[in-house]
Amino acid sequence: MSENKVAKVALVTGGGQGIGQAIAERLHADGFEVATADLNTESAGKVAAKLGGKAGGAISVPVNVAVRDSVFAAVEQTVSELGGLDVIVNNAGIAPQSPIEDITPESIAKIFSINFNGVVWGIQAATKAFKELGHGGKIISAASQAGHVGNPGIALYSATKFAVRGLTQTAARDLAQYGITVNTYARASSGRR
C-alpha cells in the first residue's frame, strides 16, 4: 500500500445486488474504493462498472462465501488490486422458508455454510489481511431482526442470524487488541429476500 494512498478500501460480499449493492454504492459515495464480491460475477461486475470501474475505485471479485479458500482469495484479490483493505462487510446470505417439520440435514448444511460459515471465513480472511497490512480494521456482518426474535416459518434463517450475533460478540472481544472492531447490522426480515 503506497504512503500517499488516501481512500480506504472496503469489500462487500453479496455486493452484486440488493442490500449488498446499496452498501457498496454508499461506501463508494463516502469515498471508499470498493470491491463488490459475489457468486454472480456478472451482477457484481455491473455494480463495479456503475461505480466507475477500477479507474473510479471499484472492482468486482468472484466469491463463494461457503468456501473458505474462495473468501480468502477474494480478500487477497482486493488487497492486490486496490492496494489495501480497511473494511469487510459480510453481507452475502440466503433466507429460504424453513417450516420446522421440513428441516433436513441438507437444508441446515446449505444455509449455515452461507449465512454463518461465510461470516467466519470473512472474519478470518479480513483479520489476516489487517495484520499483514499492519493496521486495524472494521468487520461488519449481516444480522437481522430475525436474529433477535425467532420469526415463524424461517427457523433456519433465524438460527443463522442468532449464531452470527454470538460469533460477532466473541470476535469483537478477541480482536479488539489488534484494533479490529467487529459489529453487525440488522434489518427487518419478511422471511423473503
Side-chain angles (χ1 to χ4, degrees), residues 19-34:
I19 294 172
Q21 178 178 344
I23 292 168
E25 290 172 349
R26 177 56 189 261
L27 286 167
H28 192 262
D30 287 347
F32 282 79
E33 293 188 354
V34 177

Side-chain angles (χ1 to χ4, degrees), residues 19-72:
I19 294 172
Q21 178 178 344
I23 292 168
E25 290 172 349
R26 177 56 189 261
L27 286 167
H28 192 262
D30 287 347
F32 282 79
E33 293 188 354
V34 177
T36 58
D38 208 293
L39 188 60
N40 184 332
T41 55
E42 183 179 349
S43 66
K46 287 180 181 176
V47 173
K50 179 182 174 186
L51 298 176
K54 188 161 186 185
I59 62 169
S60 64
V61 296
V63 71
N64 178 348
V65 297
V67 178
R68 186 176 189 268
D69 288 347
S70 179
V71 178
F72 275 75

Side-chain angles (χ1 to χ4, degrees), residues 62-92:
V63 71
N64 178 348
V65 297
V67 178
R68 186 176 189 268
D69 288 347
S70 179
V71 178
F72 275 75
V75 168
E76 289 165 9
Q77 183 178 345
T78 299
V79 172
S80 175
E81 291 193 32
L82 295 179
L85 183 70
D86 300 281
V87 177
I88 188 170
V89 182
N90 296 307
N91 171 74

